[in-house]
Amino acid sequence: VRRRHGFFLPNFRKFLQELARIGAAIMDVLKPKPVPPYSADETVLWFEFLLKPALLTKHLSKAAPDPSPTELITQFLSIAPENQNQNELNSPEADSMNKNEGLKYSKKQLALKILALKVAAYLRWDLGVLEKNLPLQRQVQLLSDLCSVTAGKAVNLPLSLVHECPIIGPDGSQHSLNFALTLYHRWVLRAQVIRGSVARSNKPFVHVAGVADTTPYSMRDDSFINSLEPFTNISIDFLNQVINDVEPFRILTFDSFVALDAHTDGVQQRFDLAIPISKAEIKAQIYYDLCLYYLYVQKYELAKQNIVLSKQNFDQIRQEYSVKPSKVFLYCSVDEEQLLGYMMACGVTGEPEGLLQRLNESVINHYSDIVSILKEDNIKREIPMTQRKILELNVEGFVSMGSPEAGTNDQKELELAVVALNVIRHVLDGDNILGSNVALQKYKQQQLKLIELMLQYGDEQFDELSLSDREVLKRYFLQTINLMNNPSGIEPILKSYQKLVSPQEFDDLKRQKAKEDVQFSGIGVQSDWSVCDSKLMRLEVGTFERQLITCTHASGVRKMLVKLAGTNPTKPLWSINPSWSIPMPMKQLLMSLQRGFLQDFAYILVGKSRELAAKKDYSAAIALLTCLKSETTRQDLANNPLVLKLGKMA
């Protein structure tokens, strides 16, 4: 070694020691390890449930069981294959086997099928979960096993191929079979909807996400679902029968299925442990499934009807469960958010229709039911008054068009009815009585008929109004009758509507109208401000100021200025009326003049001329300016340059 590889002896010894250590490590790895003790948290194999069925309850109660419930169903059904494959379902041999009484399964097969059904019952028969996690073949097999076990005899699916409902065997239960068939017929509709949604997304029809090589199955699945389409009406009819059935609907629970053990050859299932649920719960679920199917086949009106019924029943069962210890529905798996989404897709908001929406729909339908809508709005007051006035004008135009429909007496009465109801709403809103009586002046020729309709509608809704609204409405009718020239003509009408105007109140009105008018004298008939004979300076100044403001002639303005100047005013007389405004250049010029008659006279004449010009009384305005120009040409003012400039500006 030394000669060939150049190793020295000490290095060679180290090499051998390292080689021995590596060999020992390899032997330690290959040495068998002791088996650790069994842990309950580890994965449980399917045959353990077969040997010990009680273990299933403990396993499903875990937070995250492994395998999951749907994986367990798949394992149970995979280990217990059917006697016939899919191609043999409709063979004569299969039909002859269906006619034999009892279940033709081995003990192992029956035990596994019952375990699968127990897991499905634990999932509350939620088709959404089963459809998402089970292949189509396993879904059909599970439903077939459910129908077979509840019928007490073998049942092959699809049922639509035999056109008859299975007959129960000696170990079957009618209400349990009804539950199984309901689940199956719901699945028939849902399977087509799922297949359609996948087809529209241009993806292969795959029921289980993450499963490799699903193409061979998807083609067969698609063909199988296509075979259901001609018989879909059978499923719809069956579900409608369930909805209309007066008998309570019972659902099978986890305890309804009794697992087999090694010591018994057979066991009777506990179908008597089925739990009845309210009709609202089964209706909410079936209506929801029907809506999805009708949306898929584009029958939108039927979809809308069913989604509304589903929402109504859903609200009812939610109220029922609100008083129960458990808030989880026993059977209905409808998600509220999805329910509201489908309602929006069907054009249903979920909220009751508002009066404004009903009003618009009534207009589209030639004002059908418009009177009841307006009467209801007089109580709720949801529709803006602007919309109601627009409606009134539209009805008026509709009647005046002269169309065959508009020429009838009913349409003319409709116009008065809308007007009468609008007047009542106008009054209840607290608007001015004079504004409310515009309609009475507009329909003067039909005034009595209009008042009669107002009294009729007011009397019909009188008890629905608040106390304050009643007083407002009564006061309005009393004032309206009081304003009439001949209120006696309405007396026969008032006898039928005594809630608004009682006979005693009407008699009081007649007595008031019969009295002579009050005769005013003295101060009551004076048009001047001279309210007394005493010479009070403040009253006299006020009289002069009023006359100055109302005067439109230059001579009158001159006289009033002279009189007011004699009262020693403390402020310029042109400031008496703030409405007198003049152009700024002229105002600056007048303010430069000495305070006195010319300043006040010029300012007031220019201000009054602008007021008259605004009223289009141009001749009077020009006359005032002409007088001002003449005033500036006086000899005693000829040497004042400001006065000359004022004359040019005037």
Side-chain angles (χ1 to χ4, degrees):
V1 174
R2 289 177 59 191
R3 188 180 301 116
R4 291 183 180 181
H5 301 285
F7 288 140
F8 292 103
L9 185 59
N11 292 335
F12 182 67
R13 288 176 179 173
K14 290 181 180 180
F15 170 73
L16 292 178
Q17 292 174 358
E18 185 68 21
L19 187 62
R21 189 184 63 79
I22 294 174
I26 293 174
M27 293 301 294
D28 185 64
V29 171
L30 297 177
K31 185 178 180 180
K33 303 293 183 182
V35 178
Y38 171 77
S39 175
D41 295 333
E42 293 183 356
T43 302
V44 183
L45 301 179
W46 65 268
F47 58 82
E48 297 184 53
F49 301 109
L50 187 62
L51 298 175
K52 191 177 181 181
L55 188 62
L56 183 62
T57 304
K58 181 179 179 181
H59 176 76
L60 294 176
S61 61
K62 295 179 182 178
D66 184 17
S68 66
T70 51
E71 290 174 347
L72 273 180
I73 294 176
T74 303
Q75 292 179 11
F76 291 149
L77 297 181
S78 300
I79 303 303
E82 297 293 336
N83 292 329
Q84 305 88 13
N85 58 34
Q86 189 69 25
N87 296 327
E88 297 173 347
L89 284 177
N90 305 314
S91 63
E93 292 80 8
D95 291 339
S96 63
M97 289 185 65
N98 285 340
K99 296 177 183 178
N100 296 332
E101 295 295 329
L103 295 172
K104 303 302 180 181
Y105 298 130
S106 66
K107 185 176 181 180
K108 176 183 176 182
Q109 282 182 316
L110 183 58
L112 290 171
K113 292 178 183 297
I114 291 176
L115 288 177
L117 294 176
K118 288 179 74 69
V119 177
Y122 173 80
L123 296 175
R124 297 183 298 110
W125 308 103
D126 190 341
L127 286 179
V129 175
L130 300 177
E131 292 162 347
K132 182 179 180 181
N133 297 280
L134 295 182
L136 182 65
Q137 285 182 313
R138 298 305 174 210
Q139 296 176 36
V140 177
Q141 185 179 352
L142 180 67
L143 292 170
S144 178
D145 293 342
L146 176 62
C147 293
S148 298
V149 172
T150 54
K153 57 183 293 186
V155 176
N156 291 324
L157 298 182
L159 290 177
S160 53
L161 297 180
V162 295
H163 296 279
E164 61 181 11
C165 185
I167 302 175
I168 62 173
D171 297 329
S173 169
Q174 186 61 51
H175 69 79
S176 299
L177 178 60
N178 183 59
F179 166 80
L181 293 177
T182 302
L183 193 68
Y184 163 72
H185 287 297
R186 285 181 50 215
W187 175 85
V188 169
L189 302 182
R190 294 169 62 98
Q192 297 180 61
V193 174
I194 295 175
R195 191 277 307 271
S197 62
V198 173
R200 289 172 183 171
S201 62
N202 296 323
K203 296 180 180 179
F205 181 50
V206 181
H207 276 272
V208 184
V211 178
D213 193 18
T214 56
T215 305
Y217 297 98
S218 66
M219 295 178 61
R220 182 168 58 180
D221 294 345
D222 195 51
S223 176
F224 177 80
I225 295 179
N226 282 335
S227 67
L228 299 176
E229 293 182 2
F231 309 100
T232 305
N233 288 334
I234 297 176
S235 296
I236 295 176
D237 293 340
F238 183 89
L239 293 176
N240 286 326
Q241 291 177 7
V242 173
I243 291 174
N244 298 324
D245 191 3
V246 295
E247 294 295 328
F249 187 81
R250 299 175 179 270
I251 61 171
L252 299 177
T253 63
F254 185 85
D255 297 328
S256 299
F257 300 96
V258 181
L260 304 182
D261 55 34
H263 305 290
T264 57
D265 294 333
V267 66
Q268 183 72 28
Q269 301 300 314
R270 295 297 307 275
F271 295 133
D272 57 316
L273 297 179
I275 300 177
I277 61 174
S278 66
K279 294 297 292 186
E281 186 164 358
I282 185 62
K283 286 181 179 180
Q285 184 64 65
I286 292 178
Y287 283 134
Y288 180 81
D289 294 333
L290 288 173
C291 169
L292 267 60
Y293 175 75
Y294 285 130
L295 283 176
Y296 164 64
V297 296
Q298 299 181 2
K299 295 183 178 180
Y300 301 117
E301 190 61 33
L302 290 174
K304 180 178 180 180
Q305 296 174 8
N306 281 275
I307 200 64
V308 170
L309 293 172
S310 178
K311 181 63 167 62
Q312 293 174 355
N313 286 277
F314 184 85
D315 293 339
Q316 182 178 344
I317 60 175
R318 187 168 54 181
Q319 184 177 3
E320 293 174 356
Y321 276 87
S322 63
V323 297
K324 295 183 179 180
S326 176
K327 309 301 180 184
V328 180
F329 297 161
L330 295 175
Y331 183 75
C332 180
S333 59
V334 176
D335 181 75
E336 186 174 8
E337 291 186 3
Q338 293 184 1
L339 177 63
L340 296 177
Y342 282 114
M343 291 181 68
M344 294 181 63
C346 295
V348 182
T349 60
E351 300 294 334
E353 290 186 349
L355 291 176
L356 182 58
Q357 180 179 349
R358 290 173 55 191
L359 175 70
N360 294 331
E361 292 177 355
S362 175
V363 173
I364 295 175
N365 297 324
H366 302 288
Y367 307 105
S368 62
D369 202 30
I370 192 66
V371 173
S372 61
I373 294 174
L374 295 180
K375 287 175 63 177
E376 186 176 351
D377 184 63
N378 282 346
I379 303 299
K380 298 181 178 179
R381 301 172 202 174
E382 295 180 6
I383 304 175
M385 195 61 202
T386 305
Q387 294 290 336
R388 294 187 56 155
K389 292 298 293 184
I390 293 174
L391 170 69
E392 180 181 326
L393 296 175
N394 289 339
V395 173
E396 180 183 353
F398 178 71
V399 174
S400 63
M401 283 173 59
S403 61
E405 295 181 0
T408 62
N409 293 330
D410 292 339
Q411 293 295 333
K412 293 179 180 179
E413 187 169 340
L414 173 65
E415 179 183 0
L416 291 178
V418 172
V419 173
L421 289 168
N422 279 355
V423 170
I424 294 176
R425 168 67 185 276
H426 197 74
V427 173
L428 294 176
D429 284 345
D431 294 328
N432 192 344
I433 182 177
L434 297 178
S436 305
N437 284 339
V438 171
L440 295 176
Q441 297 298 325
K442 182 178 180 180
Y443 296 92
K444 197 169 185 178
Q445 301 298 327
Q446 301 168 295
Q447 192 176 80
L448 285 179
K449 179 63 177 177
L450 180 58
I451 294 178
E452 181 180 2
L453 288 174
M454 291 163 54
L455 288 168
Q456 175 186 340
Y457 296 137
D459 186 83
E460 291 174 354
Q461 297 185 287
F462 188 79
D463 296 333
E464 302 178 46
L465 298 173
S466 63
L467 293 177
S468 59
D469 288 341
R470 294 178 188 178
E471 292 299 324
V472 169
L473 202 58
K474 285 176 64 69
R475 190 183 312 117
Y476 166 74
F477 281 110
L478 290 173
Q479 292 174 344
T480 301
I481 296 172
N482 190 39
L483 292 175
M484 296 177 64
N485 294 327
N486 184 20
S488 59
I490 201 175
E491 185 174 3
I493 301 174
L494 293 176
K495 293 180 180 179
S496 302
Y497 309 107
Q498 298 185 7
K499 291 182 180 179
L500 296 169
V501 181
S502 65
Q504 181 64 37
E505 292 171 334
F506 184 70
D507 291 340
D508 293 341
L509 286 176
K510 288 195 298 183
R511 283 195 297 269
Q512 293 175 10
K513 296 289 289 186
K515 293 181 180 180
E516 295 182 358
D517 294 336
V518 178
Q519 298 295 327
F520 297 99
S521 60
I523 190 174
V525 296
Q526 290 182 5
S527 59
D528 202 350
W529 283 11
S530 300
V531 294
C532 60
D533 296 334
S534 60
K535 299 295 183 179
L536 294 177
M537 181 59 66
R538 290 181 59 187
L539 293 177
E540 189 175 4
V541 170
T543 302
F544 293 155
E545 289 179 350
R546 180 178 64 83
Q547 293 176 357
L548 176 63
I549 292 173
T550 58
C551 181
T552 57
H553 300 284
S555 59
V557 172
R558 186 187 300 273
K559 292 179 181 179
M560 290 301 104
L561 287 177
V562 172
K563 291 182 179 181
L564 286 171
T567 61
N568 297 321
T570 58
K571 59 182 180 179
L573 298 178
W574 55 263
S575 63
I576 291 175
N577 187 7
S579 298
W580 292 330
S581 62
I582 64 176
M584 185 56 64
M586 183 171 287
K587 184 175 182 179
Q588 293 176 351
L589 176 63
L590 291 177
M591 294 301 104
S592 302
L593 292 174
Q594 184 180 1
R595 180 180 173 183
F597 173 79
L598 182 60
Q599 185 188 57
D600 294 333
F601 187 68
Y603 194 104
I604 293 173
L605 289 185
V606 174
K608 284 182 173 291
S609 67
R610 288 172 63 88
E611 285 184 347
L612 293 172
K615 298 177 181 179
K616 298 183 180 181
D617 191 356
Y618 302 113
S619 58
I622 293 174
L624 292 178
L625 294 177
T626 303
C627 291
L628 175 60
K629 192 173 185 65
S630 300
E631 186 70 19
T632 59
T633 59
R634 285 168 40 192
Q635 293 296 328
D636 56 333
L637 301 175
N639 296 328
N640 192 334
L642 295 177
V643 175
L644 294 176
K645 188 175 181 180
L646 176 62
K648 294 179 181 179
M649 295 179 68

